[in-house]
Amino acid sequence: SGREALTEARFESLIDFTRDLELNLRFETRELVQDALFITDFPLMRAITASCRPSTVKDGIIQRGTNSIDIAEVSSEEWIERQGTLLDGLLEANPAYLVATTVHFETPNMTELVRTERLAAGLRPRRVPKQQLFSGAHPNKDAEFFALRRGEVILTTGDQLDENVPTKNRSALTLIAVCPVFDETGEFFGINALEHDLRGRLEELFLAINHDGMEVFITNSTGQIALIHREGESVIQSGKQSIVSEFPQLKNLFTDLEAGTEFGDQKSLYAIRVPLGDSRSQAYFGIVTRLISTD
């Protein structure tokens, strides 16, 4: 019948909108991972590790192809200052990035070498003064960083960070990429980390992708609601309310990772669980959409 055809068409549009959001989240993730790898693979990072650990470099010379860097020509402070300039430019070019930092691990302590941050999306980034950088014991949870290999990037979200990790951005909508750094001998040196504000990007997508008559819920990995968007307005949630309390039929989607990554009732409710990054990453989002009008 005509009513059934209309219901089917509206449900298909619900699926299309949800999948568009997913594709954009994955695109943002790829860009974030590539940027984390870029600052880690940049020759400047090798100069920093070598200047902090001069015994790892033969004759004080770093070879890169046909080029060589004499680390003694520049102080470690100057190499770190140049890294700060690189991070400044990265945040200037990416308004959704909240933080870029380089951290040196020397068990049992971790020391931030340089950090550029913006206090909120849209504000100009600023270099954090040296005396305000973090230095202290690293959280045990971060031992997983030591298991990372060169070229790997681990993704997580702000709400999953250990309470001792020095960050202001503990939102489920903050996506964090962590890339390990190694010295010239292959020993673990530290990490580069980038924090990305997904809320701002989602707001742009809500404006750009037609979703009339739809209600959107964004959840964290366990199904706690992080954001509700309806009728052109978004409301950030405290993370205390579970999507399952709103839609009991989604229980398996968020509690049984073997149950599949999508749910649809073929009428008005569609949901997907979106894992970002590889199997080691902890960044999962739920996107739940519902039709809120049928006329």
Side-chain angles (χ1 to χ4, degrees):
S1 70
R3 179 174 290 274
E4 289 175 341
L6 179 61
T7 298
E8 183 176 328
R10 285 169 58 78
F11 189 73
E12 286 298 320
S13 70
L14 194 70
I15 293 175
D16 289 344
F17 170 71
T18 309
R19 290 298 182 182
D20 275 349
L21 285 184
E22 178 194 15
L23 287 173
N24 277 277
L25 282 179
R26 292 192 183 281
F27 176 78
E28 294 292 316
T29 300
R30 285 195 298 272
E31 293 284 298
L32 183 68
V33 167
Q34 288 171 4
D35 284 342
L37 288 170
F38 168 75
I39 60 176
T40 302
D41 292 339
F42 201 65
L44 185 54
M45 198 68 245
R46 290 183 66 190
I48 291 172
T49 66
S51 63
C52 290
R53 293 179 178 174
S55 63
T56 64
V57 186
K58 184 179 180 180
D59 300 325
I61 303 294
I62 297 174
Q63 290 295 142
R64 183 178 172 87
T66 57
N67 299 319
S68 61
I69 301 173
D70 184 345
I71 63 167
E73 291 182 354
V74 178
S75 67
S76 60
E77 289 78 11
E78 175 59 24
W79 289 123
I80 292 169
E81 172 67 22
R82 293 181 186 183
Q83 176 78 349
T85 301
L86 178 66
L87 301 186
D88 293 348
L90 186 64
L91 262 70
E92 286 280 3
N94 296 274
Y97 289 1
L98 298 171
V99 175
T101 182
T102 299
V103 184
H104 177 35
F105 284 70
E106 203 70 84
T107 303
N109 294 321
M110 57 184 278
T111 303
E112 266 191 311
L113 299 180
V114 62
R115 180 168 90 241
T116 297
E117 66 181 14
R118 49 169 52 90
L119 299 179
L123 297 181
R124 288 292 302 275
R126 68 179 187 100
R127 183 91 58 85
V128 175
K130 186 175 181 179
Q131 62 269 27
Q132 294 178 20
L133 296 174
F134 177 82
S135 180
H138 64 75
N140 290 333
K141 185 182 177 185
D142 285 358
E144 63 191 302
F145 296 154
F146 294 89
L148 289 173
R149 298 177 181 177
R150 193 182 302 273
E152 284 189 309
V153 177
I154 191 170
L155 296 169
T156 189
T157 49
D159 61 320
Q160 298 185 75
L161 292 176
D162 186 285
E163 62 182 15
N164 295 318
V165 173
T167 182
K168 304 182 186 72
N169 304 313
R170 299 194 179 277
S171 165
L173 299 176
T174 300
L175 182 63
I176 302 162
V178 176
C179 192
V181 176
F182 299 90
D183 66 22
E184 292 298 296
T185 67
E187 288 296 311
F188 181 77
F189 175 87
I191 60 169
N192 284 311
L194 296 176
E195 300 185 14
H196 183 301
D197 171 44
L198 282 180
R199 180 194 176 180
R201 181 59 184 143
L202 286 167
E203 294 285 3
E204 292 174 359
L205 294 172
F206 292 147
L207 287 173
I209 308 173
N210 180 46
H211 59 290
D212 291 343
M214 298 179 193
E215 185 175 40
V216 187
F217 300 81
I218 306 295
T219 79
N220 71 0
S221 59
T222 61
Q224 302 295 312
I225 300 173
L227 180 149
I228 300 175
H229 181 84
R230 62 168 72 94
E231 296 178 351
E233 289 189 332
S234 296
V235 180
I236 295 295
Q237 301 297 296
S238 65
K240 300 286 195 297
Q241 182 186 0
S242 171
I243 194 71
V244 176
S245 66
E246 185 84 16
F247 306 108
Q249 60 269 53
L250 298 181
K251 181 178 180 181
N252 286 348
L253 187 66
F254 290 98
T255 60
D256 182 1
L257 297 185
E258 304 300 320
T261 58
E262 68 175 326
F263 172 90
D265 66 3
Q266 307 307 311
K267 295 179 181 178
S268 62
L269 180 66
Y270 184 70
I272 55 175
R273 193 179 70 247
V274 183
L276 300 175
D278 61 21
S279 59
R280 195 192 296 269
S281 292
Q282 303 165 329
Y284 291 81
F285 291 93
I287 305 175
V288 180
T289 51
R290 174 172 65 171
L291 295 172
I292 55 177
S293 62
T294 55
D295 46 22

